[in-house]
């Protein structure tokens, strides 16, 4: 009986060990399956994070390049404008100052305008140099004074020349500032075309 008891004990022991081993194998298998699933999810999450990061980096790069391109274009346009203004100011200011300092030239322009306008009625010319212009008209265009051209001193004492018809309409002011502004506007498009 001892032998049977011994055999029975060994049989129970070996069945228990085998069941324990089977359960342990099942637990390990489940743990490995869960670990693989966790690892697969972690890899998928990591791949998604990397894809999102690459997409955001590409967007940032694209936006930065666009902004830099826009900023560069604005800077170039601003520089072109500054250069055009500088050159236009220099050319027109020097040329106009030279022309307006030539009394004979300015008197000739005033005479031409007065001849054209006096046909429609009396014309008044206001200037800071009324005496000089009156003497010019008396010496070179007395007929215009007889037709209705009047020369008066300007009220502010600084206006170069203001020419106005007696019946209203519009008046023309000719002086350094007005001629510089006119020639700047006239020259600027061609100058920009030549420069750029």
């Amino acid at each position: 009986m001892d032998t049977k008891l011994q055999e029975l004990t060994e049989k129970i022991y070996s069945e228990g060990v085998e069941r324990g081993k089977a359960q342990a194998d099942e637990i390990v298998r489940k743990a490995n399956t869960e670990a693989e699933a966790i690892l697969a999810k972690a890899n998928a999450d990591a791949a998604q994070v990397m894809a999102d990061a690459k997409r955001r980096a590409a967007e940032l790069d694209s936006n930065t390049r666009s902004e830099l391109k826009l900023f560069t274009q604005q800077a170039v346009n601003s520089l072109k404008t500054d250069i055009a203004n500088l050159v236009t100011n220099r050319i027109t200011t020097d040329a106009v100052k030279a022309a307006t300092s030539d009394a004979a030239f300015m008197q000739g322009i005033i005479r031409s305008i007065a001849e054209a306008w006096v046909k429609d009625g009396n014309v008044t010319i206001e200037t800071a140099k009324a005496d000089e212009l009156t003497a010019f008209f008396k010496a070179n265009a007395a007929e215009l004074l007889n037709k209705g051209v009047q020369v008066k001193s300007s009220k502010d004492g600084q206006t170069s020349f203001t020419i106005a018809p007696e019946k209203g309409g519009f008046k023309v002011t000719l002086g350094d500032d007005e001629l510089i502004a006119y020639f700047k506007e006239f020259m600027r498009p061609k100058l920009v075309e030549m420069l750029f």
Side-chain angles (χ1 to χ4, degrees), residues 107 111 131-146 151:
Q107 290 168 347
R111 178 182 176 175
D131 295 336
E132 289 177 27
L133 189 59
T134 302
F136 169 78
F137 274 103
K138 283 182 182 176
N140 299 297
E143 75 280 358
L144 290 176
L145 292 173
N146 295 334
V151 180

Side-chain angles (χ1 to χ4, degrees), residues 89-155:
N89 288 344
R90 183 60 177 238
I91 290 172
T92 55
T93 301
D94 291 350
V96 167
K97 294 241 186 235
T100 57
S101 65
D102 182 357
F105 174 74
M106 289 304 291
Q107 290 168 347
I109 290 176
I110 301 300
R111 178 182 176 175
S112 296
I113 294 171
E115 284 174 349
W117 284 13
V118 79
K119 294 174 189 172
D120 295 331
N122 294 342
V123 175
T124 303
I125 303 171
E126 289 184 11
T127 179
K129 299 177 181 181
D131 295 336
E132 289 177 27
L133 189 59
T134 302
F136 169 78
F137 274 103
K138 283 182 182 176
N140 299 297
E143 75 280 358
L144 290 176
L145 292 173
N146 295 334
K147 287 183 180 178
V149 172
Q150 297 178 30
V151 180
K152 295 182 179 179
S153 288
S154 63
K155 294 173 185 143

Side-chain angles (χ1 to χ4, degrees), residues 6-16:
Q6 180 72 24
E7 283 177 19
L8 189 58
T9 306
E10 283 180 16
K11 186 177 177 184
I12 292 174
Y13 175 76
S14 61
E15 284 177 9

